Amino acid sequence: MQTISIGMMTPTSTIRPMGKDYDRAFRKSIESTLKNTDFEVEIFTEMIGQGSVQKIEEALDKFFGFHDVDCVTGIMSQAGIQNLTEKFDKKEKPLVCSNLGEHFPLLDSESKCVFQNSIHLWQQAWNLGYYAGSELGSRGSVIAAVYDSGYAFLPAFQFGLLFANPNAFLDIKLLEMPVGGGLSDVKSIFDTVDWDGSDFVFPLFCGEEATIFLKEFKDRRLNEKTQLLGLPFLLERGTEDLSGISVYTSSESYNEQTPDPYCKDVFAMLGNRAGKAIGKAIIKDNGSPKFETLNQVLRSEGNSLYQLCESPRFLGPIHILKNTFGSGDSLSTERLKEQEYNISEDNQLNELRRGVNSSWINPYLGI
């Protein structure tokens, strides 16, 4: 029996057990893939807190200096890893960097060994903006909590909107930083928004703040005036009655029998995908997985380009969905269209990607 060693980087989240979900799914997936083979895996775990560059670098020093791992995986942001990719290229050992896609990959980031395993949320935000500008109208509003606005979602949505309609106007409302780690005062922003003059609204909230926003939106009967677009996490259900509200979202994949627009198990899904890909690469290479093989396997498993030097992107159209809340915890989902992916033609966005990546470096939902 040959042992393959894997380094696992696990962030600390105060919102949801993202690291635990990923780790469990990864182990289950790779063990299942390697079942009845002559390979077994040994996983070394390092906690990286909120995913700072320093914490990631310390973990890599242990992986390469002491454990001498064959490959590395875990949840870390694009901003956290982008300046450390040369460590993998020098050793020619692969990294499967899993995240939600909350940061722009910089255009000059290049690595043959680093792969992004992601649902590319910033690209989905761009596509929602594009859909809003081409289908819903020319005037919109963004309402965002401070944490959510510190990532690439807001500018990506704005660039998508302007790419579809250069004359579009977007009014941006940012809430103040909450005191003592509490919730943002979501209701306070409602009286400052021009609801009558907005064809659509893109609220950037998740968790309890999302529920507060949607409940207030319903209580004021604003669904009779304007359309809502949001990231999948706007759909998280609480105990409030949200029946009658519809939210446009996007998805890289869609299954009519079992639609999952909320992405409740997204970190388990990413862990499963990474475990299966690395396991298959181990089998194909008859040992330590090579980055060339991993690239081929990842391409065959999903709808994205994964290698960092290729600027990760979708290979096909994404799905624009309309989700309507019903009674209880029901949510009905309708696929409206498959939107062709032409984000690479957005020169303004590409110029932005040559500059500062984001205000926050930690993985989304890992604050």
Side-chain angles (χ1 to χ4, degrees):
M1 186 69 70
Q2 183 178 348
T3 301
I4 305 298
S5 57
I6 298 174
M8 171 72 73
M9 284 192 272
T10 303
T12 302
S13 174
T14 60
I15 299 177
R16 65 180 70 245
M18 55 197 293
K20 287 183 179 179
D21 288 349
Y22 185 87
D23 184 273
R24 289 170 182 159
F26 179 88
R27 291 173 186 268
K28 183 177 180 180
S29 177
I30 196 168
E31 288 171 3
S32 175
T33 303
L34 296 177
K35 188 177 181 180
N36 299 324
T37 70
D38 292 329
F39 301 102
E40 63 179 6
V41 293
E42 183 178 19
I43 298 177
F44 301 100
T45 301
E46 290 292 335
M47 304 299 295
I48 57 172
Q50 293 185 358
S52 69
V53 175
Q54 179 183 352
K55 286 289 188 180
I56 294 175
E57 191 164 24
E58 289 173 356
L60 293 181
D61 287 343
K62 293 180 182 179
F63 290 152
F64 293 139
F66 183 74
H67 298 300
D68 191 26
V69 299
D70 296 290
C71 65
V72 179
T73 189
I75 301 173
M76 64 223 75
S77 75
Q78 189 80 31
I81 199 65
Q82 65 190 20
N83 294 320
L84 300 174
T85 57
E86 64 178 16
K87 290 180 178 290
F88 295 89
D89 290 336
K90 286 181 178 179
K91 293 184 175 293
E92 295 197 338
K93 293 185 177 181
L95 163 68
V96 178
C97 169
S98 298
N99 55 47
L100 299 182
E102 61 278 349
H103 294 89
F104 295 128
L106 296 183
L107 285 181
D108 58 357
S109 292
E110 292 188 1
S111 174
K112 63 185 180 182
C113 294
V114 176
F115 303 90
Q116 187 182 14
N117 176 33
S118 178
I119 60 173
H120 303 302
L121 274 185
W122 73 268
Q123 300 182 31
Q124 295 199 38
W126 187 96
N127 272 276
L128 282 173
Y130 185 88
Y131 180 79
S134 58
E135 302 285 344
L136 301 182
S138 60
R139 295 183 64 85
S141 296
V142 171
I143 305 174
V146 171
Y147 289 128
D148 300 271
S149 65
Y151 295 98
F153 311 131
L154 194 158
F157 181 87
Q158 186 173 22
F159 278 114
L161 172 70
L162 295 174
F163 189 78
N165 186 348
N167 297 317
F169 173 79
L170 195 62
D171 186 29
I172 300 173
K173 305 288 186 181
L174 299 181
L175 277 72
E176 294 183 2
M177 177 77 79
V179 178
L183 298 174
S184 301
D185 186 6
V186 177
K187 294 183 180 180
S188 67
I189 206 74
F190 273 75
D191 292 330
T192 71
V193 178
D194 181 12
W195 298 101
D196 292 317
S198 296
D199 299 312
F200 55 86
V201 176
F202 181 59
L204 272 172
F205 297 107
C206 66
E208 191 173 347
E209 290 181 353
T211 302
I212 294 171
F213 172 85
L214 291 173
K215 183 63 167 57
E216 187 72 10
F217 187 83
K218 178 182 177 178
D219 289 347
R220 297 189 181 214
R221 301 178 65 178
L222 295 172
N223 52 310
E224 300 174 5
K225 296 182 178 182
T226 187
Q227 305 285 350
L228 279 183
L229 304 99
L231 299 179
F233 300 100
L234 192 65
L235 303 176
E236 182 175 2
R237 294 308 305 264
T239 58
E240 301 286 356
D241 177 16
L242 303 176
S243 57
I245 296 178
S246 294
V247 182
Y248 295 94
T249 61
S250 61
S251 176
E252 65 168 315
S253 60
Y254 180 74
N255 186 323
E256 292 184 0
Q257 282 70 45
T258 57
D260 184 23
Y262 166 43
C263 294
K264 178 181 178 180
D265 300 319
V266 62
F267 294 109
M269 181 270 287
L270 293 173
N272 177 70
R273 184 190 288 174
K276 184 185 296 184
I278 293 175
K280 286 185 175 181
I282 290 171
I283 295 172
K284 284 179 175 290
D285 288 326
N286 197 31
S288 180
K290 298 181 175 61
F291 65 86
E292 302 97 331
T293 307
L294 192 54
N295 191 25
Q296 294 170 3
V297 172
L298 285 167
R299 281 175 180 268
S300 67
E301 289 292 319
N303 184 37
S304 303
L305 284 176
Y306 288 89
Q307 197 166 9
L308 193 61
C309 63
E310 295 177 303
S311 187
R313 60 182 176 82
F314 297 122
L315 293 171
I318 70 158
H319 307 274
I320 301 296
L321 310 176
K322 185 176 183 179
N323 311 278
T324 302
F325 291 99
S327 59
D329 60 355
S330 65
L331 183 72
S332 61
T333 298
E334 174 189 4
R335 179 170 56 181
L336 300 180
K337 66 182 299 186
E338 290 185 352
Q339 186 163 280
E340 288 297 329
Y341 189 70
N342 55 5
I343 195 170
S344 60
E345 300 173 13
D346 191 339
N347 293 327
Q348 287 184 297
L349 177 62
N350 288 333
E351 284 301 316
L352 181 67
R353 289 175 55 202
R354 291 188 171 92
V356 176
N357 196 298
S358 172
S359 301
W360 310 114
I361 199 169
N362 50 291
Y364 189 53
L365 301 180
I367 298 171

